[in-house]
Every structure is written in C-alpha cells, then in structure tokens.
Amino acid sequence: MADWLTPHWSDGACAMVLVAGEGAVRVADVGTSFRPYCPEPADLDPALWVHEAMARTARVNRDLAVVEIGGPTAVCEFAALAQIISATDMLPTDGRLNASGGGATTFFGPATGLRHIAAVARALGANLGTGLAIDLAGPIGQATSVIKLEGLGR
C-alpha cells in the first residue's frame, strides 16, 4: 500500500481567531463525553451525553445568549437540545437555539464543530454574554463536546 494511504496518527493543535477588532470572544471552557463506537442500547440518549459534557465545564448560567448544536442528524440534535432546554429557561422555539439551522443541514464530519464555534462567536460579537457550541461527532454523535464561549464586550 502506498505510504500516503496509510493512517498517520498524531497529537495536534490548532488556533482560530474568533473575533477580530473591537469585540472579544474567548473560549472559557470545554467539556467532553465519549461513548464507544457501538454504545449499549440503554446509553443512546444524546441528552445524557450533553449533560455529562456540560458537567465537565464551568457552571453554565441559565441566561445563555446563544446555543448552536451540530450532530449527524436532526433527530440527534433535537434529542441533545432536551438537556439545554431543561437546564435553562429556553423553550424549543427560542430564537437563541440553533439560529444557524443546526449541523445536520451541513454535516461534513470532524470540521462541523468549527462552524458552530464560529456561529456562536459571531452571535456574541462585541456583546457581553455566554454561548455554547455543542458538537456531537461520530456516526451517531457519541463523541460530544461542549465549548463555552464568552463575549467580553468592547
């Protein structure tokens, strides 16, 4: 097999400018939750995965300015939103939830989470507030990340 076809594993890092100019947005915390490739049937609830990832972040206030969630399917996203709705004062029809349309509309694998980080940063802009970018990666969303962003104002 050609060398370029074989897998090459490495540790990596990347940086992304969230907002340039007057406003500042920072990544305040990251929480994760992982399941095996084939979770047990009793462990197939994305709301539980989001709950575990949120428990691994600094406390999330009830007054979120924006929440963007991306998963491989709209059903996965909707199920995961149940945790956000129960932890905040948001209703399922709240305009602060998935204003971009969600990740299932443009799911393209591992890079999809970056789209939601950018959407939350854009929504926070130069304002004070907190937002969440939630990424459910993997075939059924079982690799869950919750990224807490803070708008620091001008």
Side-chain angles (χ1 to χ4, degrees):
M1 181 181 291
D3 185 50
W4 61 274
L5 286 175
T6 61
H8 297 276
W9 302 100
S10 69
D11 292 330
C14 72
M16 181 168 86
V17 175
L18 297 175
V19 175
E22 294 182 22
V25 176
R26 73 180 186 105
V27 175
D29 207 351
V30 176
T32 58
S33 173
F34 296 96
R35 295 294 184 277
Y37 193 78
C38 297
E40 295 296 321
D43 195 23
L44 289 174
D45 184 2
L48 175 64
W49 308 339
V50 171
H51 174 76
E52 287 180 7
M54 285 178 65
R56 293 182 175 117
T57 63
R59 187 170 178 271
V60 175
N61 295 332
R62 295 178 61 86
D63 58 343
L64 291 168
V66 59
V67 176
E68 286 288 341
I69 191 164
T73 66
V75 171
C76 179
E77 289 179 11
F78 187 74
L81 281 173
Q83 173 57 34
I84 301 301
I85 291 165
S86 69
T88 66
D89 61 349
M90 294 181 174
L91 298 173
T93 56
D94 196 305
R96 298 173 291 173
L97 291 173
N98 259 3
S100 72
T105 59
T106 58
F107 188 75
F108 53 99
T112 304
L114 295 175
R115 176 181 180 270
H116 298 293
I117 292 171
V120 171
R122 184 175 50 250
L124 290 172
N127 302 313
L128 291 171
T130 302
L132 296 178
I134 301 171
D135 183 46
L136 294 125
I140 58 172
Q142 74 272 25
T144 303
S145 300
V146 173
I147 300 97
K148 180 181 174 183
L149 297 151
E150 291 179 346
L152 304 176
R154 296 179 187 257

